[in-house]
Structures are given as C-alpha cells and as structure tokens.
Amino acid sequence: MTEAFTPEQLRTAALTSKAWPYEEARKLLKRYEKGAPDKGHVLFETGYGPSGLPHIGTFNEVLRTTMVRQAYQEMSDIPTRLIAFSDDMDGLRKVPDNVPNKEMLASHLGKPLTDIPDPFGKYESFAHHNNAMLREFLNRFGFDYEFMSATEQYKAGRFDEALKSVLRHYDAIMGVMLPTLRKERQASYSPVLPVSAKSGIVLQVPVEVIDAEAGLVRFTDDGGETVEQSILGGKAKLQWKVDWAMRWVALGVDYEMSGKDLIDSVTQSSKIARVLGARPPEGFNYEMFLDEKGEKISKSKGNGLSLEQWLTYGPEESLAFFAYREPKKAKQLHLGVIPRAIDEYWQFRDNYPGQPVEQRLGNPVHHIHNGPPPTEPLPISFGLLLNLVGVLGSADREVIWGYLRNYVADANADTYPALDALIGHAIAYHRDFIAPTLQRRKPTGQEAAALRKLDASLATLGESADAEAIQNEVYEIGKAGGFENLRDWFKALYETLLGSSQGPRMGSFIALYGVANSRKLIAEALQA
C-alpha cells in the first residue's frame, strides 16, 4: 500500500527537490513570485513544424514540458495552459520523401503549408493533414494541451499588434540579426516575409517599412514589380527567429524548452523579445538523441528509432522513463536500450511505495504518472521474460503463460495485465532483434565439467527447488570450478545455454524455465 502524502507535504518537498522538473518549475515561481501574471495563468508552449509527421522527438518535447507543468502545479495555485503551436504558415522548402504526389507538391514550393493541397487527399491542405496527425498523436498519449495554428492566428489578426511592434523596432531587430548572418545573406535578409498576392509564395525579399502603425511595407514582388502591401491579417509572416520572439510576446509564453541545436536561436529570439518590450520565456536546452554509433540522429539518414518501433518492443511508460532521465545528457537511442529502460522503470516503480516524500519526488515514475504509479506488481523482470522467450523460440502467449504459472502462483493475464502486455513486447523484440543474433557456442573443457556438476546438482534439487536455492548451487559450482572470475562462469552459462553474452540471474531463469527443461539445455550444450 502506497502511503498518501498531503498536498502541503508534497509542496514543501517540491520546493527543495533536485529533480529537474522541479528545478525548472521553480524558475516560474521566481518569475511570478509576486502573484499571477495579468493574463491570469502561466503559459507553456511547444512548437511543431508540420512539414513532417510527428516523431519521437515531438513526444519527447511535449512529455518533458508536461512534466515541468505538473511540477509547477504541485508548487503553485496559479492556473496553467499548454499550447501545442503549429508553424503551418511556413513556406514549403522541399518535398518530403515519405509522401505521395510529389510532383504536385513540387509545383507549390514556397507557398504556406496551409495553402498547399493535401498529397494524401484527406484534408483541405497539407498542413491540415499533418496538424490532424499531431493532434491524433498527442491525444493518443493523453496530453493536456490546446492546439494553435500559426495561419489561423495570423489571419485572425491575433498577431497584428505584435507585427506593428516589429515594424516600429525594425532597425533594432535588424541590429540583432545581421551580425549573426553571412555577408551575402545580410544583403537579402528581412525579418518580414510578405506573401505574394500574385503567386501566393512566402517571399524571402528585403522590405522597406512605409507605415508601422498601418502595417505597410514596400518590396519587390517575385514578378519584379514594386509593391506596397500590408503585413497584417495573414498577408505576411515573420522570419523564424523573429517569428518565435513575436509569438512569445503576443501570446505571453512563460516557458518553452528546445533542443541543443537551437541554443543560438533561443539567444537571438530572446534578444528580439526584449527589443519588443517583453521578457523571454524560461526554459532549457535538452541534449539530442544519438544512434548506437554515437552519431546525431537524422531523419534524412534514417538512423534513428521511430516512436512506432519503440512502442512495438516496449510500453509507453518505458519510453517516458527514457525521456525523463538526464535530459541534458546526450543519449544513444536504439533498439538495444529498450529492455533496460523497461526493467529500470519497473525497479523505480517497485521502490516508490516505500520511499519518503522527498525520494518519491525524485523518482521518475512520479513524473511519468503525475503522482503515485499504478499498484500492479510485475512478478518477473523483462530481461528474464526475454530469456524465456529466447529458449522457447517462437512460442505463443499461452505457452509462455504456462511457464509463468510454474513460477508465479495463479499467473494469468487478468491478474497481471502489464505482464501480459510485456509478453507481447518480448515476443516481438525476440523475433526481430534477438533471434537473428542468437548463437550458442560449444563449452570449453572446464566449462563442460562445471555444466555436468550443475546438471547433477539440479537432478538432486528437483522441480520444487526455488530460485534462491538454485542460485546458491550455481554460485558454489562456479567457485569450485576453477574460474578465476565468477563472471566468466556466468558468461559461459549465457553463451552455451542461451546463446547470448548477457543474461538473467540463473537461479531465477532455471526456476522459471523448469529444472527438467534446463537440464535438457545443458545436455544439448554438452553434445554440441
């Protein structure tokens, strides 16, 4: 039974907790230490570029932002909002690789994503399609958010006052941006990107401010004609870093995190926000994911792990656990990290009920579940389950449950639904990732002698032996077997019996698989 703590106890502990969501949330406490802002709430934001589909990085950013929001709510009574903002007025720069009707898209390059037909033929525009995918994606994981479209905000005039302010401070903004650009880019750069009334393209052309209060600028259209045009009501958008700053100011964003690759963008956008007379939001830059070779993950290279892949081989909680841990440290993201993430998640979850409040607030599961996690236990580790599936080969779910019932009394899917889900993940992970690499090797003379002793010991112990008794026998045989390092003995067991260089606690595995079946594995190894 998990001991309940009062909101006062939680708030007191949260104010000093070293868990990173609380450290981030305390920035907001300091920001509004005198009380709620004039708008009456604290606003969190995450951004999305809808030229591509949502991916594991999208999940990562929204999840981490949500964790900071939850931490803040434990410490403050000021209401909060989370906006998922889609930059859907951006001009399409190139045709994505993973969409149909590429020729049609190519004919609309440069136009706002909301003005380009949907290549999938389902929605009124390409942006509407990808925005729908984003909302479906966020809803799938139960995120509490409000969706906001850049196009809708621009066209509705929500940004008009901020756009006028950009024109009023045009020279100061240029003073921020020009030193950061290459010389040839300086000549053509403009913070304002007019939308051509003739071609519908978002133009990358220099502009001259004619009347800031009226929102009028002058520029050369893509047809070579000099045009005076308003930038209000969706007739223009802003260049990326200026746009980000303008949005912070117009919406009153208080917190937004971003990847390490956007540190310079945060710096410049923060300067521009101050030029516009506002305070930039709080936030931090998280490290990027790496592939198993330590190289930065790139969608174009295809060297990353997709969200769908992770959720095939592990539950959502394990991905949330992986995202929570050490956000400012670069981490390798590949199939090999999934089993460890699953087992570590469950270790932290099992520890939670007995922890004092201070430790609970530093426990990842508190942030994953926004409080106490579910109480369902997990009777075996995912690693042990994988080894069972490995020796059974292509066994189905019911066969695996049959073995589990020998190890856990009354084991069934109704009693242990989380374990039942993990069985499905283990079968898939073994099929796609482990089975192609399994290779049992022949034991050496020393190893064979020790295996014979283990076989004899198991015969004496019998099927009723528990995991601890078996583990003690395995340990003693290794000690008496002349191995300089007991790790060599356990590695030999893994490589000769399981076909892997790593494995479970052998006592637990033998108890789960059965003494008779384990003796058959030993016999097969000795006959190799």
Side-chain angles (χ1 to χ4, degrees), residues 9-25:
Q9 287 174 308
L10 286 171
R11 180 165 295 188
T12 299
L15 289 170
T16 58
S17 175
K18 294 182 179 179
W20 69 262
Y22 291 113
E23 291 183 336
E24 289 300 302

Side-chain angles (χ1 to χ4, degrees), residues 53-315:
L53 298 177
H55 53 81
I56 202 164
T58 310
F59 173 87
N60 176 61
E61 187 166 312
V62 179
L63 174 75
R64 287 173 171 169
T65 303
T66 296
M67 288 177 172
V68 177
R69 182 188 184 192
Q70 291 169 176
Y72 179 75
Q73 289 170 332
E74 288 185 22
M75 295 188 289
S76 173
D77 296 322
I78 298 175
T80 64
R81 295 170 59 201
L82 170 61
I83 289 176
F85 192 94
S86 173
D87 291 307
D88 57 14
M89 200 171 163
D90 284 350
L92 181 65
R93 297 180 183 178
K94 64 178 183 178
V95 177
D97 294 329
N98 58 345
V99 297
N101 296 315
K102 291 183 175 62
E103 289 185 6
M104 179 275 290
L105 285 178
S107 69
H108 291 281
L109 284 175
K111 293 180 182 179
L113 294 162
T114 41
D115 289 341
I116 298 174
D118 178 16
F120 298 91
K122 297 180 180 179
Y123 295 87
E124 59 187 280
S125 77
F126 188 26
H128 282 82
H129 174 274
N130 286 352
N131 286 341
M133 297 303 101
L134 173 67
R135 290 195 293 270
E136 180 181 312
F137 174 89
L138 297 178
N139 294 340
R140 172 184 180 184
F141 298 107
F143 288 119
D144 177 22
Y145 71 98
E146 302 167 41
F147 176 78
M148 191 171 285
S149 156
T151 301
E152 291 178 3
Q153 298 303 306
Y154 270 103
K155 289 187 174 181
R158 176 79 182 273
F159 292 154
D160 281 357
E161 287 306 313
L163 290 171
K164 293 176 185 178
S165 184
V166 168
L167 295 186
R168 293 188 201 107
H169 298 91
Y170 191 87
D171 291 340
I173 291 172
M174 291 289 278
V176 171
M177 290 305 304
L178 290 182
T180 70
L181 305 172
R182 297 188 307 272
K183 191 169 183 179
E184 59 270 23
R185 181 72 178 105
Q186 290 178 355
S188 62
Y189 178 81
S190 168
V192 178
L193 306 177
V195 177
S196 171
K198 292 185 175 180
S199 67
I201 289 174
V202 180
L203 300 174
Q204 297 266 356
V205 295
V207 305
E208 178 187 354
V209 179
I210 301 301
D211 186 339
E213 300 309 315
L216 282 176
V217 297
R218 180 185 292 126
F219 59 93
T220 302
D221 203 342
D222 48 355
E225 181 182 352
T226 299
V227 175
E228 289 188 8
Q229 180 175 305
S230 171
I231 69 168
L232 307 180
K235 295 177 181 177
K237 73 174 298 292
L238 298 182
Q239 195 78 253
W240 151 235
K241 295 174 186 177
V242 187
D243 187 83
W244 204 10
M246 181 277 296
R247 185 199 315 164
W248 290 343
V249 174
L251 300 178
V253 176
D254 295 302
Y255 189 91
E256 182 162 5
M257 63 175 63
S258 55
K260 185 181 177 181
D261 57 334
L262 294 181
I263 287 177
D264 288 342
S265 296
V266 171
T267 299
Q268 304 309 321
S269 295
S270 296
K271 290 179 180 178
I272 294 167
R274 293 187 183 97
V275 166
L276 297 175
R279 182 178 178 180
E282 312 298 329
F284 77 101
N285 296 100
Y286 52 80
E287 262 288 1
M288 311 307 290
F289 289 140
L290 307 174
D291 66 11
E292 56 189 328
K293 296 179 182 178
E295 298 177 356
K296 180 182 174 182
I297 286 177
S298 164
K299 284 187 286 184
S300 61
K301 286 184 181 178
N303 62 334
L305 179 65
S306 72
L307 186 75
E308 290 70 25
Q309 284 177 307
W310 187 296
L311 296 180
T312 298
Y313 306 122

Side-chain angles (χ1 to χ4, degrees), residues 245-460:
M246 181 277 296
R247 185 199 315 164
W248 290 343
V249 174
L251 300 178
V253 176
D254 295 302
Y255 189 91
E256 182 162 5
M257 63 175 63
S258 55
K260 185 181 177 181
D261 57 334
L262 294 181
I263 287 177
D264 288 342
S265 296
V266 171
T267 299
Q268 304 309 321
S269 295
S270 296
K271 290 179 180 178
I272 294 167
R274 293 187 183 97
V275 166
L276 297 175
R279 182 178 178 180
E282 312 298 329
F284 77 101
N285 296 100
Y286 52 80
E287 262 288 1
M288 311 307 290
F289 289 140
L290 307 174
D291 66 11
E292 56 189 328
K293 296 179 182 178
E295 298 177 356
K296 180 182 174 182
I297 286 177
S298 164
K299 284 187 286 184
S300 61
K301 286 184 181 178
N303 62 334
L305 179 65
S306 72
L307 186 75
E308 290 70 25
Q309 284 177 307
W310 187 296
L311 296 180
T312 298
Y313 306 122
E316 177 189 332
E317 294 85 357
S318 64
L319 175 56
F321 176 85
F322 185 81
Y324 173 88
R325 300 295 299 277
E326 301 177 307
K328 292 193 175 184
K329 179 181 178 181
K331 291 185 289 188
Q332 292 182 317
L333 177 65
H334 53 84
L335 289 172
V337 306
I338 296 177
R340 182 177 177 181
I342 295 173
D343 278 337
E344 287 188 349
Y345 160 77
W346 277 97
Q347 289 167 12
F348 278 97
R349 179 164 153 174
D350 290 343
N351 291 338
Y352 188 88
Q355 291 178 324
V357 62
E358 296 80 10
Q359 290 184 8
R360 284 191 191 174
L361 298 192
N363 189 322
V365 302
H366 182 84
H367 303 275
I368 292 168
H369 296 282
N370 194 20
T375 57
E376 178 192 345
L378 188 70
I380 71 167
S381 70
F382 186 69
L384 186 56
L385 182 61
L386 272 178
N387 287 116
L388 175 63
V389 174
V391 295
L392 293 177
S394 58
D396 62 23
R397 193 181 295 262
E398 284 308 310
V399 171
I400 295 168
W401 271 116
Y403 279 90
L404 290 171
R405 278 188 283 274
N406 294 329
Y407 187 71
V408 181
D410 301 322
N412 60 73
D414 292 333
T415 306
Y416 298 105
L419 177 56
D420 189 57
L422 285 180
I423 290 173
H425 292 308
I427 291 171
Y429 192 86
H430 172 79
R431 178 193 65 226
D432 298 341
F433 192 63
I434 295 179
T437 66
L438 283 180
Q439 189 171 1
R440 297 184 179 94
R441 68 168 175 81
K442 183 177 181 178
T444 65
Q446 179 191 22
E447 294 166 350
L451 283 171
R452 291 188 187 95
K453 289 181 181 178
L454 177 58
D455 179 62
S457 179
L458 291 177
T460 301

